Amino acid sequence: MTARPHHFPADKSSLAHAPTMVISNIWPALEGGRYAVKRIAGTPVTVWADLFRDGHGKLRAVVKWRKRGVSAWEESPMVHVGNDRWRGEFTVVELGEWEYTVEGWQDDFQTWRHEFERKAAALKPGESLQTESIEGAIILEESARLAEQGGHQAEAEVLRRASRAIYDAAPQDVAHTVDDSGLQALAARWTNRSLSTTAVPIYRVLVERERAGFSAWYEFFPRGAEGRADRHSTLRNCLERIRYAKGMGFNVIYFPPVHPIGTSHRKGKDNSLTCTADDVGSPWAIGSGEGGHYSIHPQLGTVADFEWLVREAKELGMEIAMDFAINCSPDHPYVQDHPDWFFQRPDGTIKYAENPPKKYQDIYPLNFHCKDWRNLWQEMVRIILFWADKGVKIFRVDNPHTKPVAFWEYLMSEVRLQHPDVIFLAEAFTRPRMMEMLAKIGFSQSYTYFTWRTHRQEIMEYVNELAHSDLREYFRGNFWPNTPDILAHPLVNGSPAVFMIRAALAATTMPNWGIYSGFEFCENDQHPDREEYRNNEKYELKERDWKRPGIRDFLTKLNHIRNTHGEFRHLSNLHFVHVDHDRLLAFVKASPHRQADLLVIINLDPAHLAEGTVNLPQESVPEPRDVPYRVRDLLTDDVYNWHGTANWVSLDPHSKPVHIFRIESSDQD
Amino acid sequence: MTARPHHFPADKSSLAHAPTMVISNIWPALEGGRYAVKRIAGTPVTVWADLFRDGHGKLRAVVKWRKRGVSAWEESPMVHVGNDRWRGEFTVVELGEWEYTVEGWQDDFQTWRHEFERKAAALKPGESLQTESIEGAIILEESARLAEQGGHQAEAEVLRRASRAIYDAAPQDVAHTVDDSGLQALAARWTNRSLSTTAVPIYRVLVERERAGFSAWYEFFPRGAEGRADRHSTLRNCLERIRYAKGMGFNVIYFPPVHPIGTSHRKGKDNSLTCTADDVGSPWAIGSGEGGHYSIHPQLGTVADFEWLVREAKELGMEIAMDFAINCSPDHPYVQDHPDWFFQRPDGTIKYAENPPKKYQDIYPLNFHCKDWRNLWQEMVRIILFWADKGVKIFRVDNPHTKPVAFWEYLMSEVRLQHPDVIFLAEAFTRPRMMEMLAKIGFSQSYTYFTWRTHRQEIMEYVNELAHSDLREYFRGNFWPNTPDILAHPLVNGSPAVFMIRAALAATTMPNWGIYSGFEFCENDQHPDREEYRNNEKYELKERDWKRPGIRDFLTKLNHIRNTHGEFRHLSNLHFVHVDHDRLLAFVKASPHRQADLLVIINLDPAHLAEGTVNLPQESVPEPRDVPYRVRDLLTDDVYNWHGTANWVSLDPHSKPVHIFRIESSDQD
């Protein structure tokens, strides 16, 4: 019976002093600090804590932060906001993982001063405060000693003089001496913190660059860059297409895998099991005699071509996101070099992927729990580092939920130690807890259920969850109306209105969004059995006339508005507002200090006019009741005169399915 | 730049295998497991966790528990309740601190079986499942090996036979062989868990005896046991008073401190600074030439007398709660033996307690952060153990919020290692965060704000917080309508109705409640300046005629109903119901399986009749609409015929301020 409770000074020998403060309920904290919250460099981290101790002492607290494993603690003061709750803030600009915690202590000088003043006020004739004065003098003398130790002689001298002044003074003179804000600041600076308490555990924040939190993605197959069914395009052909996407205001180009494509069991057109000599194969069946994840598919070019393209894109202000798909074709070099990394049958042959009755004989999954798992995991890190060294700083990770969560936590941490600017997007269309966990362990962005959310209530609930629940601390949704795998059902109708509506929903509710090419042309050729494209580009070269207008102008305006209005760079400033029509979705994006909020109104019905009264919150209305103000549609530059909180809107999907209003006071231009 | 993230297999050398499962959001857990939740011995601990992994494997999970530092893990299976959330349960009867955690793994046999069956169903002519059969055979062979290792030869043999049967069988025969629930249970029992994952940290639960969760306290001053102003009663005189309290249905007797009372600066009657030779002094000014916290005040008797009384009380089924007040009079032995344990002035004299302008010259506070703090803290533990060894198993702790929280955590842990049946009540009338924290670190029960809650809404909010927020996991309120320090303002009016109302509120809403003697006689002699008693018993002997009826019958009935209806032993079965009169408070105490819920209705207005319609929840109504049922008032045995959910009640405070109904179906007697 010698067990002792946790956390206690029980092995008292190890504690220089008894714990004094209680520090608890630190926020933000994910599962007690087990996981890091996320912030964009330069945006503040506000930290809350409950902090108190026994007695009536005056307390002080600081929030402390440091680069993980590198720098010494910095600190800034916390303020008491009431009911023993304290708040502090810090801002970091350097990318990487930072740690923070909270430290508190009793301010001996202020505690003494407060008590002294109360005693002095109640002093009766014949009573003395000599002893109390000496106590104050001793506290200041101690501060002077600490200032001296810290190399601040001048400050030490001020403190020492005050100490001496207090020593012999009459009570009313003591009060006068210590009622000096300069002295109080010095006493606070050089207070004795040897009895302070620091919260354990240490909390963490992953600081990423702005693109992690604000991005517009455009996906295309490099081999289709020229839009020809009769010719395989190369990486050199892609630059024009990147310029084209930049023209529409996108800033991330995402390529499906560019590695050699396997030939064994290669899939034919439309996912056919039979394959002709002409069939180009799925880029997700990686590895051939020409190499694996370190190589470029020969029909696309060379690693040098790829490096050239990454550089050229960068010149344009564009970034290329690489697909990290841990899928090996039977021809992948690993199959020869590391057969033990794969799942093996009892007869020693390697297992292909299966989801009975489906068989994927063109894919060998890796066994992340094989005996040699350490080397396998490290090899995956090496792949990412190889491309990061070549300038790729965004990875779209294919199906991360089919590999161990612990593996991704390891991989991303290792990569970020060398390249803290690398961004990871999780393509996990799976169950909510897995999606949340992948974000918790470090994915910068995540694909979402948006693709299937169409009704007002479900969109509002989902966006509210991302914007205002604990998810906002770590889960950044990236909204895609379509992907090569998903021709979402609303798009099947094919009208420009529905594509504009889906694009506007994604681009205005979320700071991160993206489309797969063809979306701008309202492509809607549906597979007969599934929510997919017929003759999927994954398995063939597609004819595509890139010069058609489609809804390119609309997308260009949408991205332009996003890029020129900082309100769209954040999510937590989004607040849905009431409209009395169930197909009209409306929300405010609050501007800093609410001086000119944005108001987005979207008609979710691509076929019918929707009209109704939209109710602004009072704080978004720039003028007193009865004074008109203007709302300017940033898409059309149309201006409307509004009054008060309730105003009429009318959205005809055939001409104008979306308003993006700037709310202007009447004297604004 | 060699820092590595937390929790990761980074020091991979230490991990036998890569982490496989994700286990998160374990509940109950206070601040990530930092603090223990509380349970009464024999009541279940239900544990929830999110638990999943990559892939489509069939998972299993167990909740595991063990006596802290003593026993090996026990375990029971968890079930998947949906959305990756699992639930398990365990019950412990042995008192003390227990640990629990969650372990999960992939069930290889069920994973194989599920996949095999899907493949068999899709099998085409000419295809074989030979390889798949062998995989299943190998899994069962491994289970057989584990069963053998575990010493279960017979089970090993069953598994081995099944393994052999599968090895050569045709697919349809394999399916038949494995479709045997006995075999599946064996395969589950002897599954290979070497790749399992166990959640860290380990969570904790403090298991206490029933009195910690269900108690009725009666406080009296032993020196007033005979109710004579002219004679100091002794411990020997107290037995009659204990019998008297038992007669009213109380089960805990709480004595203010029984230790020698100091004479230096002893307070006179009514807290006067001047004291005559007759004045008995405050029992909270502890310590004199006759001893300190280990001694009994000579006018009360001896330690032997005290032990006799504890034994006699126990014979009656009563327990004596001792007051643990860390207040030293200037005459306390510590002042001589350990002057360094006190706060000292610069001149070396010891500081008395002050809260300027108030001075408490009869009290020297201890300095829990003095240099010799380790010995001081241990000495406090020794005091508790001294009395616990003499049979005292309940301590009412005076003002715990004025001593370090870490000190209490230490003290209670140390005491419980030797006496896990000791119960601590925190007398901390202070700020909410401090009160919560004292409960978190181990106080069994806590005084509350109930004493000042009088309006319906504030009572409902407070009780709901205790019953249904996270507080229910660790904070057990003990509701006191009065204490020697507090003559709460509603009681000042002095009518029996208000005393009955306050008693009924405390006794029916909370499993733990108590009164300070005199309450049963509706004593209401108010101090002119404060919410206190005039001529407080803390400073003098009081005349009290214990034979008066007062509201003793009512209190007796109240405690009898509590003691004979298990519904009052728990709090989370309390649900407020709507009444359309704002002075009527009504709530259901749900019975097991809701077969005969209790319904309590209290008129909060001691002066006026209140009438209104009370709305029962449907699940409390025992009969279909239009079929009458009965409600029986357990206080009066009156029976009323009710219909449906809405029924009329009328409470006249002068005759009947409270209903405690049992809701009976019409065929019940």
Side-chain angles (χ1 to χ4, degrees), chain A residues 244-264:
Chain A
Y244 161 93
K246 177 186 163 74
M248 283 189 283
F250 292 97
N251 49 35
V252 176
I253 298 296
Y254 154 46
F255 287 163
V258 291
H259 309 302
I261 297 173
T263 52
S264 302

Side-chain angles (χ1 to χ4, degrees), chain A residues 11 60 113 132 147 192 365 450 457 535 566 570 631 641 669:
Chain A
D11 56 301
R60 288 191 186 271
R113 184 182 154 231
E132 286 77 2
N192 183 347
F450 163 76
Q457 190 57 32
N535 301 320
H570 312 286
V631 296
N641 283 313
D669 272 325

Side-chain angles (χ1 to χ4, degrees), chain A residues 4 12 15 68 374 410, chain B residues 4 12 15 68 374:
Chain A
R4 284 220 153 44
K12 290 185 283 288
L15 267 181
R68 181 165 165 69
R374 291 185 177 87
Y410 162 70
Chain B
R4 285 222 151 46
K12 290 186 283 287
L15 267 181
R68 180 165 166 69
R374 291 185 178 88

Side-chain angles (χ1 to χ4, degrees), chain B residues 155-189:
Chain B
E155 300 188 355
E157 200 40 53
V158 174
L159 289 160
R160 203 160 272 133
R161 261 200 313 273
S163 172
R164 273 186 238 113
I166 289 169
Y167 193 88
D168 289 316
Q172 64 277 19
D173 296 335
V174 170
H176 182 258
T177 303
V178 300
D179 191 23
D180 171 320
S181 64
L183 175 66
Q184 289 177 26
L186 277 187
R189 179 171 184 195

Side-chain angles (χ1 to χ4, degrees), chain A residues 4-6 8 12 15 68 84 118-119 131 135 204 345 351 354 356 374 410 414 431, chain B residues 4 6 8 12 15 68 84 118-119 131 135 204 345 351 354-356 374 410 414 431:
Chain A
R4 284 220 153 44
H6 293 291
F8 169 68
K12 290 185 283 288
L15 267 181
R68 181 165 165 69
D84 295 322
R118 287 196 298 156
K119 284 183 183 175
T131 305
E135 287 175 339
R204 295 181 294 140
R345 292 198 193 79
K351 288 177 137 187
E354 281 187 273
R374 291 185 177 87
Y410 162 70
E414 292 287 310
R431 307 191 307 282
Chain B
R4 285 222 151 46
H6 293 294
F8 171 69
K12 290 186 283 287
L15 267 181
R68 180 165 166 69
D84 296 321
R118 287 195 299 156
K119 284 182 183 175
T131 306
E135 287 175 338
R204 294 181 295 140
R345 293 199 192 78
K351 288 178 136 184
E354 281 187 273
N355 187 11
R374 291 185 178 88
Y410 161 71
E414 293 287 309
R431 308 192 306 283

